[in-house]
Amino acid sequence: PQYVGVVEFSDNNPQIGIYPNPASDFAVIGLKLAEESDVTISIVDELGKIVYQNKSKQTDGGQKEMKINKCD
C-alpha cells in the first residue's frame, strides 16, 4: 500500500489532515485552528459508516496532532 505521511498547513483557515492513508493500526490527525473552537472529529469508512468519533471539546487555536488507535 501507498502511504501519505505529511500534513502541511499554510494559512489561517481551519484545516485537517490524516495519515497514514490507508490506516491500519492507527492514524494521526493533524489539525490547525486559527482560534479556540469546539471540535468534533468523525472518521467514516468507504461505506459511510462512522468508525470513530470523539466527543466535542474546546480546542485551543494553533496546530495539533492526535493519534487514534484502531481499538479506540
Side-chain angles (χ1 to χ4, degrees), residues 24-72:
S24 55
D25 295 331
F26 71 93
V28 177
I29 296 176
L31 178 66
K32 180 182 178 187
L33 301 171
E35 59 190 35
E36 188 175 293
S37 303
D38 286 330
V39 174
T40 300
I41 296 173
S42 300
I43 299 175
V44 298
D45 66 13
E46 61 275 358
L47 300 175
K49 177 183 171 190
I50 296 174
V51 295
Y52 173 84
Q53 187 168 35
N54 74 330
K55 295 180 181 177
S56 179
K57 65 178 184 175
Q58 194 74 13
T59 303
D60 293 336
Q63 191 165 327
K64 313 275 186 247
E65 282 195 345
M66 180 170 116
K67 184 176 180 180
I68 299 171
N69 292 311
K70 184 177 180 180
C71 60
D72 285 349

